[in-house]
Amino acid sequence: MNDSGRRQHGTRVPVTDPTLDIETPAREWQGQPRHRLVAIGDSLTQGFQSGSIFHTDLSFPAIIAHEMGWSTSFRYPSYNGYGGLPLNIELLLRDLEARHGRDVDWWEVAPALFRVRGFMDRVEDYWERGPGTAVPRTRAVNHNLGAFGWDLRDALEKSADVCRARISKPKDDLVYQVVQDAGERAALRVLPTEPPEAGALSQLGAAKALGEETGDTDGMDPEHGIETLVVFLGSNNALQTVTDLRVVWSEEGYDDLNRKGAFTVWRPEHFAAELREVVREVREIKARHVIWCTVPHVTVAPLARGVGGKTEPGSAYFPYYTRPWISDRAFNPRNDPHITGDQARDIDHAIDQYNDAITAEVRQAREAGRDWYVLDTAGLLDRLAARRYLEDPLARPDWWQPYPLPPELQALNPPPNTHFLASDGNRRIDGGLFSLDGVHPTTVAYGIVAQETINIMRRAGVEFRHPDGTTPRPDPVLVDFDRLIRRDTLINRPPGNLTPTLKVIGWADEALDLFRRVLPFGT
C-alpha cells in the first residue's frame, strides 16, 4: 500500500494511487451533469502568475476544459486592465526594458525608479478609481471559483458581500502604490453578486449552488449538477513563510477572518480543524467525482533560495533561505531577509501533516462509497525540485523518481526546471516552471497540473471530447503543450533584463519592497 502516512528518512511518501487502493461501488450514472468541471481553490487554481491574476483562460482548470471540448461553456472571471491584479511583474519588467534596456546603470536609478512608480500609479488608478472598479453583473456562477490569497477559512466565510464590506476607501499613496484590497477586488469578479441574495454565497456555497442545478429532462443528470469538482486549498496556510520570509505559527484566532492575518503558517491541528469544516461543506455539494489536491512544499519555490550549501551530506535543506538575487557570497544573515533551514524543515513537516489530513478525509469518504480522489501535488513538485533532489542524489529518499516532463517540454533548450527564471537577454537559459514572482507556475507548468488532473478524471470515467463537444477522444488524453508553449511568453520570449544575476528584479524589490507588496497571501 502506498500511503502518505508512511515516511522514509523523515520525508512523507507521496500518494501514487489516487484511489488509495480503496474501491468504490460501481455506479450506472444517468444523464450528463450540467456543469462538467468546477474548481474551488486559491491563486494556483485561479491561474495567478508573475504577481498578478491576468491570463485566467490559462489556469489549469481552463486548460482541462479546453481538452474536454467544453471551453466555450467553462466560465471564469477576467482581469484585462493593465496586466491584472495586483501588479504584473512581467509587464513591469518589459516596460522598464523598453526605456532602460537590459540593465539599470547607476546614473539611471532615479529615472528608472520614477518610471516604475509611474507604471504602478497607472495600475493603481485603473483598479481603484478607473474602469477596473466596475464589476460585471451576471447571474451565472463561475466554474473556476479560485481566488488568490485565500486559505481554508476564506473559502468558508468570504462572499461578495463580505469582500465588498472589507474594501476601504482607496488612498492615492505616493509611496505604497499597490492596488489597495486587491484580493477583495479580484474576488468580486469570482463570486456571484446577482441576484442580491447571491452576494452572501461563499466560495463553497457557490459551488453548492452549481451542484443543485440538476435535471431529469434533456439528458441532464437528476442527482448531480457537477461532474468533477476539484478542491485545491491550503497553500495559503503556509505560503507567507516564504513570501514574507517570516515564520509565525498560528494561535488563537486562526479561524477568525479579522485575526488570522497575523499568522504565516498554521499548526497542523489548526489546519485539520479548518479542513474538517471544509470537508463537511464539500460533502453537501452534488458532484459525481471530487479530486482533492495536496499542499505543495512551499520551501521548494525559488522565491526562497537556499544559500550556503546543504546543512550536511544527504540533507534536503540549506542553512538559510533568502531571495534568489542575493548570492551565497553576498548573503549576510544579520542584514538580509531569511528563514533558517530548521524553520524550512518545520514548515515542510507541518505541510506533510496537512496532506496526511487531506488524505485521511479522502480515505474516509471512499470507504463510505464516495468517488473522491487524491492528486498529490506535493509529491509532484518534490519530483521536480531541482536544488533539493534533482541536483543532489544524496538527498533523494528511496521513493524519489524524477518527474518525466512531457516530450514537448523536454525538447526545449534548456528543458524547464524549478530554478528562478533567467535569460541571457535573448532567450531563457534557466528556470521555466515558476513565473516571475518565484511562487506561481508558468503556463506550461499549469499544463503539468492539468495533465495530472486529467489522468485522474479519465480513471474516474470522465469522457473527454474533441472541440465539437460531442466526439469522444481516445486515450491517452494529452494536454496540447505546443499550444501552451506558444502562449507562454516567459518560455518563448522572457524579458531581456531578466539576467542570471537577477540584478534588475533585485533592485526593484529592494527599492519598492515589491514582492512583499504584491504577494499578500493570507491577508
Side-chain angles (χ1 to χ4, degrees):
M1 180 178 70
N2 187 352
D3 189 306
S4 68
R6 291 199 299 129
R7 280 169 170 70
Q8 294 177 358
H9 307 299
T11 64
R12 169 182 171 273
V13 179
V15 172
T16 56
D17 180 356
T19 71
L20 304 177
D21 198 27
I22 301 170
E23 294 298 322
T24 55
R27 290 200 56 177
E28 195 71 36
W29 305 109
Q30 298 181 44
Q32 174 70 61
R34 188 179 304 274
H35 307 289
R36 300 204 61 207
L37 177 66
V38 175
I40 296 170
D42 51 35
S43 54
L44 295 172
T45 300
Q46 196 176 16
F48 198 97
Q49 59 178 276
S50 295
S52 75
I53 182 63
F54 183 48
H55 285 306
T56 45
D57 61 321
L58 294 173
S59 68
F60 84 83
I63 294 170
I64 295 170
H66 175 86
E67 302 299 340
M68 294 175 75
W70 198 61
S71 59
T72 57
S73 299
F74 185 74
R75 298 192 293 264
Y76 52 87
S78 61
Y79 305 86
N80 294 326
Y82 276 94
L85 278 166
L87 182 69
N88 191 317
I89 298 171
E90 179 182 357
L91 198 59
L92 173 64
L93 287 183
R94 293 192 188 281
D95 183 77
L96 199 60
E97 180 187 16
R99 178 64 181 84
H100 295 280
R102 297 178 184 175
D103 294 303
V104 177
D105 295 309
W106 66 266
W107 62 84
E108 296 179 301
V109 166
L113 186 59
F114 182 79
R115 186 174 184 88
V116 169
R117 290 196 182 279
F119 178 91
M120 294 172 71
D121 185 54
R122 292 192 296 274
V123 174
E124 184 184 32
D125 283 344
Y126 179 88
W127 292 106
E128 289 185 358
R129 286 165 288 277
T133 59
V135 178
R137 305 175 72 88
T138 175
R139 290 175 178 265
V141 177
N142 283 316
H143 296 115
N144 190 341
L145 293 165
F148 75 78
W150 282 28
D151 59 23
L152 297 172
R153 177 54 46 181
D154 295 315
L156 289 162
E157 290 193 23
K158 279 188 177 179
S159 65
D161 290 346
V162 170
C163 289
R164 193 178 289 110
R166 293 171 69 90
I167 297 175
S168 55
K169 184 177 180 180
K171 301 174 184 177
D172 195 5
D173 195 323
L174 297 178
V175 177
Y176 195 71
Q177 287 189 314
V178 172
V179 179
Q180 192 174 311
D181 303 313
E184 282 74 18
R185 294 177 189 276
L188 287 178
R189 294 169 178 260
V190 174
L191 299 170
T193 57
E194 296 288 338
E197 55 268 24
L201 290 175
S202 67
Q203 193 181 54
L204 291 156
K208 184 177 180 181
L210 291 173
E212 297 293 336
E213 295 182 4
T214 60
D216 53 12
T217 58
D218 299 325
M220 289 292 106
D221 188 317
E223 295 183 64
H224 306 92
I226 298 171
E227 185 171 17
T228 303
L229 174 67
V230 178
V231 183
F232 197 174
L233 287 165
S235 294
N236 287 309
N237 292 90
L239 192 53
Q240 260 190 297
T241 55
V242 296
T243 59
D244 284 9
L245 290 176
R246 188 169 55 94
V247 178
V248 183
W249 291 94
S250 60
E251 299 289 353
E252 183 180 350
Y254 71 88
D255 54 354
D256 186 320
L257 277 181
N258 297 317
R259 299 169 63 190
K260 66 183 180 65
F263 313 121
T264 64
V265 55
W266 267 235
R267 298 183 187 279
E269 61 269 26
H270 294 162
F271 182 94
E274 296 284 77
L275 178 66
R276 284 192 293 272
E277 292 194 42
V278 171
V279 168
R280 194 155 41 243
E281 293 211 24
V282 171
R283 285 176 178 269
E284 299 298 317
I285 298 173
K286 295 179 179 179
R288 282 184 181 178
H289 322 288
V290 181
I291 299 173
W292 288 83
C293 302
T294 60
V295 178
H297 289 121
V298 298
T299 55
V300 173
L303 183 61
R305 188 183 75 89
V307 294
K310 295 290 185 69
T311 55
E312 60 183 1
S315 174
Y317 297 95
F318 295 81
Y320 298 101
Y321 292 77
T322 189
R323 295 301 182 220
W325 44 86
I326 301 175
S327 68
D328 286 26
R329 177 177 294 182
F331 174 71
N332 185 335
R334 291 189 299 251
N335 302 322
D336 293 319
H338 68 274
I339 60 174
T340 68
D342 287 341
Q343 289 175 319
R345 186 182 294 106
D346 289 344
I347 294 162
D348 283 352
H349 184 56
I351 290 174
D352 285 345
Q353 293 177 77
Y354 298 175
N355 293 334
D356 286 348
I358 291 170
T359 305
E361 293 290 354
V362 173
R363 179 180 297 106
Q364 184 177 357
R366 290 193 66 83
E367 288 172 346
R370 292 178 180 269
D371 202 35
W372 287 16
Y373 299 84
V374 174
L375 170 53
D376 203 332
T377 42
L380 168 61
L381 182 58
D382 284 349
R383 294 178 65 195
L384 290 164
R387 301 188 75 219
R388 178 167 294 189
Y389 295 130
L390 189 62
E391 298 165 5
D392 186 359
L394 291 178
R396 300 172 185 171
D398 294 343
W399 56 259
W400 191 88
Q401 292 289 329
Y403 183 85
L405 290 174
E408 299 91 335
L409 300 188
Q410 192 63 48
L412 296 175
N413 184 22
N417 60 47
T418 61
H419 290 171
F420 202 96
L421 193 74
S423 80
D424 64 1
N426 296 304
R427 65 181 186 88
R428 179 185 59 87
I429 59 172
D430 204 358
L433 293 179
F434 282 92
S435 65
L436 292 178
D437 58 34
V439 169
H440 293 92
T442 54
T443 296
V444 297
Y446 277 125
I448 292 173
V449 179
Q451 183 64 70
E452 293 298 318
T453 310
I454 287 170
N455 294 344
I456 295 176
M457 293 171 68
R458 285 298 300 131
R459 182 161 181 169
V462 175
E463 185 175 83
F464 280 68
R465 300 166 186 164
H466 286 287
D468 62 11
T470 57
T471 307
R473 289 179 60 174
D475 284 326
V477 175
L478 301 177
V479 167
D480 183 355
F481 276 96
D482 286 332
R483 178 181 81 96
L484 300 185
I485 290 169
R486 290 194 299 271
R487 294 289 307 274
D488 195 330
T489 55
L490 295 179
I491 286 289
N492 59 54
R493 193 173 60 86
N497 50 7
L498 192 65
T499 60
T501 61
L502 301 179
K503 186 171 72 172
V504 170
I505 200 168
W507 166 80
D509 185 61
E510 182 178 342
L512 301 164
D513 200 11
L514 186 66
F515 285 79
R516 188 179 63 84
R517 293 183 181 185
V518 303
L519 298 175
F521 301 101
T523 59

